[in-house]
Amino acid sequence: MRALFDNNAADAAGWLPKVDARAKLALSVVAAIGSLVVSNIQGQLLLCGFSMCYALSLRKPKALLWAYLFFTLMCGMAMGCMWIMGQFMPSLNKAGFTGLVVPFLRMLTMLHVVLPMALSTRVQDLLNALRGMRLPFCIYLPAAVVVRFIPTFLADVQQVTESLRLRGYRLSPWGITRHPVQSMRLLFTPLLFRSLRTSEDLGIAAELKGLGYGKTMTPYKTCHWALRDTLLLIAACAVLTAALTLQMHLGGTSLGGMR
Amino acid sequence: MSELVRRYWSAHELVVIGVFAAAAKVSTLLVALAGGGMNPVSLLLKNLIYTTLLVVMLYRVRKAGTLLLFSLVSMLVSALLLGASITLLPAILLGALMAEASVALCGGYSRAWGPVLAVGVFDIASRVCSLGISWLFMRENPSLLMAAVPVVILGYLGAAAGLFTGYNAVKELRHAGIVRQ
Amino acid sequence: MLRCKNVTYTYPHQQAPAVRDLSLAVEPGELVLCTGASGCGKSTLIRLLNGLCPHYFSGTLQGRVLVNGTPTTEQTPPQLARQAGTLFQDPEQQFFALNVEDELSFALEWQGLGIETMRHAVAGAVRQFGLEEICRSSIHQLSEGQKQKVGLASLWTQRPHALVLDEPTANLDPESTAELALKLAQLKERGMAILVVDHRLYWLADVVDRVVVMREGRIEAEGDFAMLHDAELRRRFGLREARVPDARRTLPGCTSAHGLIQARNLTHAHKGRKPLYEDVNFDLPGGVTAIIGHNGAGKTTLARILAGLDQQQNGEILIRDQPCDAKQRMRHSGLVLQNADHQLHMRTVEQEVQTCLELAGQKDPEHVRMLLEEFGLLHLAGRHPQSLSGGEKQRLVVACALAKRPSLLILDEPTSGLDGANMNRLAAAIERQAHQERSVLLITHDLELLAGMGRQALRLPLISPRQIETPQAGTPARRQHGNTPSITAQHNNPTAQAV
């Protein structure tokens, strides 16, 4: 995630990083609606296939492979749980091939859509994206503050953990598991107080800068909506339409129930 | 300067919401990385810390709608930057609405236990609604949902503990002179 | 321009007023320095002038505070900020954006201005403060001096007629401090009224027109800078020195041929960069040693390697003649970071020290009491660490670092923001801990601390014997008195990168 906060990182390859963050967000909404509504295998395969092409255009095959590994692990665990429960309640394992595959395809489609958004959206662009959305002040300001302070808190956490290492604490998954209360106190208390001091200082700065006293906001810079953003959304809608058409013609479960 | 506008939340209060949203994101990420994502203890701790921060934030900004705003901002940034799924947004918002309604019916945030009640209702309502969204994803094979239920329950136990640690944190902040009665 | 007339202000929930019957005026083209011990009311004075008291902090205000002739109670903080800008101690804590240009424009976006007006204001601020080269840089990549400039530039976009600066030099190195003094002199020449609140005094000697000294909420002394040369006055009010020698040039180099801490053939480079140290040797004796070097010379990196947080790429580090890897070095060292808040975890001061002692294997409660007493914290044992003042927190984190009886104690800017009395108290406590069996390494920009505590210096960049024999162009090697092998300081290396 650090690479996201590096303002001077070399421009990532491909067209995806240049896509407006609003288009990516809209795409994820379209994908969410599509994957929820479509329930036959053919439609899901279509959605999954196109979303995979979208994810591959990120040109970060390693990140995608790691995501697939994690996904496979989660699926394996879910199947394992199902099998165990099926030993006690055989009725639970009555779902056919469709019942097994469609839910996984849904999750895979969402993975393909959120991963590029996370890995190709630079935090610098995020502030411009927030400006461009013309959000109300009550959403814009806290969102901008979150964007501003996530890198700072990550740096703070590094300092806190180094300070603990120097004192002689050994922070490890096993250590946290053995001493959860102490671990929470050690890791969390400095961050809590840091949050309070930061919010106080920044709140004062916000007052002095007159943030929110004006009625409207004039963005200094915004991301410009380009043709590729429009084409991306059109492509997404087209894929969704095709998947729904497949659903209508080939059949599938409705939103409300099982077959 | 253009005409002055009176806003429901002052700039300072919005900053508090933003800072705590950032802290919550970073803390939960840290615990998940340090403890391992599938570790039940880190799952508990993650939710405990999140809830604790939420309680402290609501004691700082004791206004109706704050929890709803926090949830919205948090999900928005998570979706844009951290790869969270936008499908959970309706569930989270519904949970927040239910929490706000509960507090409003019980006397508002000015009550001593108002923030704790709000977060308590939010924790359970948002989880139930999220399970509903998950059911929609897995409706062809609902037994898959069973695999998620223990994780959700464990997370909720952490969140429930977070209500107590959150209240204790506020007491500690009073002891430190940072939060006043 | 800035005026207080018989002002008495009391914070909510407080019994005693923070300032009492205070009268002060700062006229256009004048620079006034306000100083005093911690808790004397300087911060409250700033809050009164920028309207935070009472608009933000509430409280009770008697008397009148006027900015540009209008009482602050009749103006909102943003209106006041457009007339008198306030720069706080840590500018980064007030940045809303992640890069310089966005930060300069952030406040303007909500003022109903047109795009061209905003662009003009930002461009003017960039020009005024020389920010052209860093305009697109991330705020996290800026040096402290650059952050200071961005903070001032951000205020400048509002076109104020006055400036109020709160401890502006707390995080600055001497060069940046001198640059700031120059800039303030220029702004003063342009007719700006400037109030500087600071513990450090020397840097304003040639710039300030008037000095006021506060104590317990009142102005106790007022005059020109020459007033501060009175040692008795400074002692009475707990002030720092008015004249501070630059010990960076005069401190002798490390003379020990067989130090408590030894580095042999040390080589280290950051990934993808030129080596910071290549095949260098040095010895650190017991006592206090200052690490001196310009930004980018590798002071922090060296501290991290010696403390065991990082592993050197090559070479050996010995503690008491025993080679130690990073893990072993960590057991024998203590490192006190600049931000005390990152190092405080417990509910009470006593618990904080106790847990550190228990980690070091000392469970005797008497040790807790002794350590608290050593650092003047015994009366604060039941207090929450976060409720302590800046000086008290610093003493606490140093006490915690010493709990494990390290052979090497590294202090990173321990006196940033401390007044004279607290600085001396901390320095005395550290001096008592520095002896033949313990090496204390000091990384500091505080010239006063350096002059008072430094016994010898380890000057960066470090140069190996091989580099001395075959000197490269632009890096002349000199033998300093007492340094074996040659360790030379280069204060103006334009190619160095910040660490």
Side-chain angles (χ1 to χ4, degrees), chain A residues 24-95:
Chain A
K24 288 181 215 167
L25 193 61
L27 181 71
S28 72
V29 172
V30 169
I33 293 169
S35 62
L36 264 177
V37 171
V38 173
S39 60
N40 69 352
I41 288 183
Q42 295 85 349
Q44 283 293 339
L45 280 170
L46 184 69
L47 287 173
C48 196
F50 275 93
S51 60
M52 190 164 125
C53 295
Y54 174 65
L56 284 170
S57 63
L58 186 62
R59 296 196 199 174
K60 286 188 178 170
K62 243 193 217 173
L64 202 55
L65 278 170
W66 275 109
Y68 281 154
L69 195 65
F70 181 70
F71 181 75
T72 310
L73 192 66
M74 298 297 294
C75 292
M77 284 178 61
M79 298 287 283
C81 286
M82 255 182 65
W83 182 82
I84 291 170
M85 283 187 292
Q87 305 306 304
F88 299 98
M89 290 186 281
S91 58
L92 282 177
N93 279 344
K94 286 260 159 58

Side-chain angles (χ1 to χ4, degrees), chain A residues 204 208, chain C residues 2 4 7 9 11 18-19 22 24 32-35 40-54 57 65 67 72 77 80-81 84-89 94 163-168 194-199 214:
Chain A
I204 286 173
L208 292 176
Chain C
L2 303 171
C4 293
V7 173
Y9 175 80
Y11 285 102
V19 296
L22 187 136
L24 174 72
V32 174
L33 167 64
C34 177
T35 189
C40 69
K42 305 187 300 296
S43 298
T44 307
L45 173 61
I46 292 173
R47 290 169 180 173
L48 285 164
L49 289 170
N50 59 29
L52 291 175
C53 295
F57 289 101
V65 182
V67 173
T72 56
L80 287 164
T86 308
L87 187 69
F88 292 102
Q89 183 174 336
Q94 290 138 41
L163 277 181
V164 178
L165 292 95
D166 183 8
E167 309 240 15
I194 303 174
L195 175 70
V196 177
V197 168
D198 205 348
H199 291 303
M214 288 183 69

Side-chain angles (χ1 to χ4, degrees), chain A residues 7-8 131 137 148 156 159 162 166-167 169 185-186 194 197 208-209 218-221, chain C residues 81 92-93 95 102-103 109-110 113 115 118 136 141 304 341-343 345 352 386 393 404:
Chain A
N7 192 27
N8 292 335
R131 283 166 166 153
F137 180 72
R148 157 72 178 90
D156 283 349
Q159 292 223 351
E162 285 182 349
L166 284 161
R167 288 215 181 154
Y169 289 106
R185 182 147 200 107
L186 291 173
R194 176 80 160 124
R197 290 209 197 286
L208 292 176
K209 289 184 189 214
T218 312
Y220 183 73
K221 279 191 291 197
Chain C
E92 191 181 339
Q93 287 303 309
F95 291 164
D102 283 346
E103 177 56 31
E109 290 176 329
W110 291 92
L113 304 170
I115 277 279
M118 284 198 285
R136 304 224 187 278
Q141 293 171 330
R304 290 176 62 85
D341 286 343
H342 291 142
Q343 303 157 83
H345 310 271
E352 200 75 56
Q386 293 289 349
K393 274 187 199 172
K404 65 180 188 180

Side-chain angles (χ1 to χ4, degrees), chain C residues 289-462:
Chain C
T289 304
I291 300 185
I292 293 174
H294 55 82
N295 284 336
K299 300 188 292 294
T300 305
T301 305
L302 182 63
R304 290 176 62 85
I305 290 171
L306 290 174
L309 283 173
D310 292 334
Q311 179 71 29
Q312 71 277 17
Q313 284 177 341
N314 215 350
E316 205 175 45
I317 292 173
L318 299 93
I319 299 178
R320 297 175 205 279
D321 298 320
Q322 297 298 320
C324 293
D325 62 15
K327 246 187 190 167
Q328 289 162 326
R329 292 200 298 276
M330 200 178 283
R331 270 203 294 275
H332 291 291
S333 353
L335 171 58
V336 178
L337 305 169
Q338 187 174 353
N339 192 333
D341 286 343
H342 291 142
Q343 303 157 83
L344 299 170
H345 310 271
M346 297 299 161
R347 219 176 239 273
T348 64
V349 168
E350 186 174 2
Q351 276 176 3
E352 200 75 56
V353 173
Q354 190 175 356
T355 44
C356 292
L357 283 166
E358 281 171 5
L359 272 170
Q362 296 171 63
K363 297 198 194 310
D364 186 353
E366 187 56 25
H367 285 131
V368 176
R369 197 195 63 79
M370 278 168 48
L371 204 46
L372 289 175
E373 201 169 349
E374 173 71 32
F375 284 87
L377 298 168
L378 195 57
H379 66 292
L380 301 168
R383 285 265 298 267
H384 196 290
Q386 293 289 349
S387 69
L388 304 183
S389 69
E392 289 162 348
K393 274 187 199 172
Q394 278 298 108
R395 296 206 304 275
L396 177 57
V397 294
V398 173
C400 290
L402 285 165
K404 65 180 188 180
R405 296 196 178 146
S407 300
L408 171 66
L409 177 66
I410 305 173
L411 303 169
D412 186 4
E413 299 290 355
T415 56
S416 169
L418 296 191
D419 61 21
N422 275 310
M423 186 201 69
N424 291 328
R425 192 175 304 156
L426 182 63
I430 294 167
E431 289 256 22
R432 285 194 291 274
Q433 297 292 331
H435 45 67
Q436 288 313 305
E437 297 304 309
R438 178 175 293 136
S439 186
V440 176
L441 269 189
L442 197 56
I443 303 174
T444 184
H445 292 310
D446 192 336
L447 293 180
E448 197 171 337
L449 182 70
L450 211 55
M453 270 190 73
R455 297 289 170 262
Q456 57 258 328
L458 177 66
R459 289 187 168 81
L460 271 62
L462 299 169

Side-chain angles (χ1 to χ4, degrees), chain A residues 164 169-190, chain B residues 31 39-46 48-49 52 157-158 161-162 164-166 168-169 172, chain C residues 345-347 351 355:
Chain A
L164 290 171
Y169 289 106
R170 291 289 162 257
L171 293 169
S172 60
W174 178 236
I176 287 177
T177 306
R178 277 183 64 204
H179 304 288
V181 175
Q182 186 194 52
S183 302
M184 198 194 118
R185 182 147 200 107
L186 291 173
L187 287 169
F188 173 66
T189 306
Chain B
V31 170
N39 185 338
V41 175
S42 58
L43 187 61
L44 267 166
L45 274 182
K46 214 171 69 165
L48 188 150
I49 289 174
T52 304
L157 288 175
F164 294 100
T165 54
N168 281 335
E172 186 168 336
Chain C
H345 310 271
M346 297 299 161
R347 219 176 239 273
Q351 276 176 3
T355 44

